[in-house]
């Protein structure tokens, strides 16, 4: 019977979808630590991980599951420094390869990730020498949304540790992080105040930003386990001054005062050391971070978790985050897409028709010269504006690279603004000369061009191309 069960289990492991292939070699660890390979079922997926423990581990020790931050298919080695440091505090640490199936830049589920973490918790609780009543969960960044959700679902989790966690909506956090990076690079004006959050709102409305308005506060309020929150003073991805009070307020509303918040000097988003205010992450953890975790876990698992304790230097946050509400109908992704199609037809149609006429050797009506400026300027403003905005948000975290600045405005953005103004001026001149144009075909072509320019005016205002 055992042989049959073993064969069936092996078959299921082969057929089951997996987040990563089994490892060819064990993790490289210091001599005082050892690792054992584990596989477990997460949210509908077979996941693989390692349990790292001291070589001379005592029986009845605590355990902690590490939950990754954002990223598809992140390997367990990404958190090796944390795993080693915590294991050296006498714990067993389970770190696993993050899923890539069902998780991407545009698709993810915090609920599914929480199920993955719960599968890891159940596995760690079964490890030899681990006290199942002393197993907790640790979450970094995005894991700061996942870990509380897992803890709220299971009494098997005895404590929660959060690093660089966020109590804001994901969309608000992301727009703040990119805007903070732009401002740190010296950018001011409509690009950072209007265009950047506007683009994120449209992206979210188009379904390309996963769980944009996920509200973590009700989940935090339902957490009953002791909570250790850790933030680097120089966190450039999570608002480090705003988030801790929101966490504390949510916990207290739920009746949980067993929380300890600690800020670490010279530390970044992941509580690693940073030499330049959070831009560069060094391999070393912040001084005292691992020791704090070891001491606090000992207190939390023995019923002595501190009550409402906050310590450490004040975090550095130059600007507050701002609300990022859902779009109204007139600024929705569908309307923006329709406007883009109109611009392409109106602005690109003008030269295309002229080219077709030349190919057919048809005599053309004398064109209105200003119309050429409307066509070229409109295309450059629309296509160049969107291209530059996407470039900005893709490179905007921590320290943006907006290019040369003029009075706090990126030179590229200033050029696009100037081209937009010229486009509208040329549209006005074209409208004044429309009556002088003979020929139905030419007049139709100019009317379509001017229709694009008429829509371009509110569009350019919305995106900040006509605002300093």
């Amino acid at each position: 019977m055992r042989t049959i069960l073993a064969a069936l289990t092996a078959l299921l492991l082969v057929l089951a979808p997996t987040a990563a292939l089994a490892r060819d070699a064990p993790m490289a660890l210091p001599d005082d630590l050892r690792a054992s390979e584990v596989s477990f079922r997460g949210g509908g997926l077979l996941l693989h991980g390692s349990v790292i423990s001291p070589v001379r581990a005592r029986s009845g020790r605590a355990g902690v599951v590490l939950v990754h931050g954002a990223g598809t298919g992140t390997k367990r080695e990404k958190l090796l420094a944390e795993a080693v440091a915590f294991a050296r505090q006498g714990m067993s640490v389970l770190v696993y390869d993050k899923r890539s199936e069902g998780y991407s830049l545009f698709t993810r589920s915090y609920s599914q990730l929480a199920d993955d973490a719960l599968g890891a918790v159940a596995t760690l609780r079964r490890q030899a020498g681990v006290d199942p009543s002393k197993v907790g969960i640790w979450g970094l960044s995005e894991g700061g949304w996942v870990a509380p959700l897992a803890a709220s679902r299971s009494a098997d989790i005895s404590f929660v540790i959060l690093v660089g966690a966020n109590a804001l909506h994901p969309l608000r956090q992301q727009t703040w992080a990119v805007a903070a990076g732009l401002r740190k690079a010296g950018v001011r004006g409509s690009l950072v105040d209007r265009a950047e959050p506007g683009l994120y709102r449209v992206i979210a409305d188009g379904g390309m930003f996963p769980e944009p308005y996920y509200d973590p506060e009700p989940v935090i309020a339902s957490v009953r386990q002791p909570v250790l929150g850790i933030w680097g003073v120089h966190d450039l991805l999570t608002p480090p001054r705003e988030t801790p009070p929101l966490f504390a307020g949510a916990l207290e509303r739920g009746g949980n005062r067993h929380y300890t918040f600690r800020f670490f000097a010279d530390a970044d988003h992941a509580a690693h050391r940073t030499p330049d205010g959070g831009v560069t992450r060094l391999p070393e953890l912040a001084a005292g971070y691992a020791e704090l975790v070891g001491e606090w876990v000992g207190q939390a698992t023995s019923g002595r978790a501190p009550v409402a304790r906050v310590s450490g230097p004040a975090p550095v946050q130059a600007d507050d985050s701002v609300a990022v509400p859902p779009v109204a109908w007139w600024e929705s992704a569908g309307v923006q897409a329709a406007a883009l199609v109109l611009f392409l037809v109106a602005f690109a149609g003008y030269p295309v028709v002229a080219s077709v006429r030349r190919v057919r050797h048809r005599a053309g009506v004398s064109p209105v010269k200003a119309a050429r400026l409307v066509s070229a300027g409109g295309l450059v403003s629309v296509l160049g504006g969107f291209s530059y905005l996407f470039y900005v948000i893709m490179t905007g975290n921590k320290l943006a690279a907006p290019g040369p600045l003029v009075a706090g405005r990126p030179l590229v953005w200033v050029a696009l603004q100037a081209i937009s103004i010229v486009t509208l001026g040329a549209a006005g001149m074209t409208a004044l000369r429309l009556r002088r144009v003979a020929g139905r075909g030419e007049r139709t072509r100019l009317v379509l061009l001017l229709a694009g320019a008429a829509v371009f005016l509110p569009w350019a205002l919305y995106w900040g191309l006509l605002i300093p």
Side-chain angles (χ1 to χ4, degrees):
M1 186 64 179
R2 288 183 179 179
T3 304
I4 296 174
L5 289 175
L8 288 174
T9 301
L11 180 61
L12 287 173
L13 291 178
V14 170
L15 296 177
T18 60
L21 295 176
R23 303 173 68 80
D24 295 327
M27 297 178 71
L29 294 174
D31 292 340
D32 58 330
L33 301 176
R34 58 181 172 82
S36 58
E37 302 303 299
V38 294
S39 296
F40 59 91
R41 174 68 59 178
L45 195 66
L46 185 69
L47 300 166
H48 305 291
S50 300
V51 177
I52 301 173
S53 306
V55 170
R56 298 181 178 179
R58 70 181 188 278
S59 182
R61 60 187 175 276
V64 62
V65 169
L66 305 189
V67 179
H68 288 284
T72 302
T74 309
K75 297 300 182 183
R76 67 194 81 171
E77 285 84 359
K78 185 74 179 263
L79 298 177
L80 183 58
E82 284 82 356
V84 167
F86 300 158
R88 282 179 165 168
Q89 296 298 312
M91 291 182 280
S92 283
V93 183
L94 195 162
V95 56
Y96 59 96
D97 300 326
K98 188 174 180 178
R99 68 166 53 235
S100 56
E101 184 177 318
Y103 184 103
S104 69
L105 183 63
F106 305 120
T107 304
R108 71 193 64 170
S109 165
Y110 299 139
S111 178
Q112 188 177 59
L113 293 173
D115 287 340
D116 291 349
L118 288 172
V121 168
T123 300
L124 186 55
R125 295 179 78 238
R126 293 193 298 267
Q127 297 301 299
V130 174
D131 185 338
S133 68
K134 295 182 179 180
V135 172
I137 191 168
W138 173 101
L140 167 65
S141 191
E142 179 187 79
W145 288 312
V146 176
L149 187 56
S152 70
R153 293 177 176 179
S154 176
D156 291 340
I157 295 175
S158 63
F159 59 86
V160 179
I161 302 173
L162 305 172
V163 180
N166 199 329
L168 302 173
H169 296 173
L171 189 64
R172 181 166 180 168
Q173 175 268 327
Q174 182 64 19
T175 54
W176 176 85
V178 174
L182 288 168
R183 292 191 176 102
K184 192 176 179 68
V187 177
R188 298 291 181 270
S190 62
L191 174 65
V192 66
D193 295 333
R194 191 178 188 90
E196 182 260 351
L199 182 58
Y200 269 116
R201 293 172 68 214
V202 172
I203 288 173
D205 184 63
M208 294 185 292
F209 191 107
E211 303 218 35
Y213 297 106
Y214 171 76
D215 187 359
E217 290 197 50
V219 175
I220 296 168
S222 66
V223 172
R224 298 292 176 260
Q225 298 89 336
V227 176
L228 172 62
I230 293 171
W231 288 272
V233 164
H234 299 292
D235 193 331
L236 299 180
L237 299 179
T238 290
R241 175 170 44 79
E242 291 180 60
T243 289
L246 294 175
F247 259 99
L251 288 169
E252 299 228 9
R253 283 196 300 275
N256 186 355
R257 304 201 72 234
H258 290 287
Y259 60 86
T260 299
F261 293 167
R262 173 71 181 273
F263 299 93
F264 281 93
D266 302 319
D268 77 337
H269 176 62
H272 280 236
R273 291 183 57 232
T274 177
D276 51 12
V279 176
T280 302
R281 177 176 300 170
L282 299 178
E284 299 84 14
L285 304 186
Y289 167 21
E291 291 76 12
L292 169 66
V293 168
E295 178 184 359
W296 182 86
V297 168
Q299 295 172 335
T301 55
S302 61
R304 297 181 291 108
V307 174
R309 179 181 296 177
V310 180
S311 61
V316 176
Q317 183 183 331
D319 300 285
D320 291 339
S321 68
V322 296
V324 189
V327 297
W329 70 266
W330 50 270
E331 53 184 348
S332 66
V335 171
Q336 295 292 337
L340 180 59
V341 171
L342 173 62
F343 294 147
L344 291 175
V345 171
F347 296 146
Y350 189 83
V352 167
V353 171
S355 298
V356 170
R357 284 177 173 176
R358 282 194 293 269
V359 169
R360 294 181 176 181
H361 303 289
R362 294 178 59 182
V365 183
S366 299
V368 178
K369 293 182 178 180
R372 298 174 181 175
L373 281 177
V374 179
S375 173
L379 285 173
V380 170
S381 297
V382 173
L383 299 180
F386 272 134
S387 297
Y388 185 67
L389 276 176
F390 275 106
Y391 163 78
V392 163
I393 68 171
M394 294 301 292
T395 62
N397 285 346
K398 291 193 174 182
L399 184 62
L405 302 181
V406 178
R409 275 69 176 172
L411 184 59
V412 174
W413 189 249
V414 171
L416 289 168
Q417 289 181 312
I419 293 171
S420 299
I421 292 171
V422 170
T423 298
L424 290 170
M429 296 174 61
T430 301
L432 290 175
R433 297 176 183 177
L434 182 61
R435 292 184 179 180
R436 303 177 187 176
V437 176
R440 181 180 301 175
E442 182 64 15
R443 287 179 63 85
T444 300
R445 186 163 68 123
L446 289 175
V447 168
L448 179 60
L449 183 69
L450 290 175
V455 176
F456 178 77
L457 174 59
W459 182 91
L461 281 169
Y462 176 82
W463 289 107
L465 287 169
L466 302 179
I467 300 173

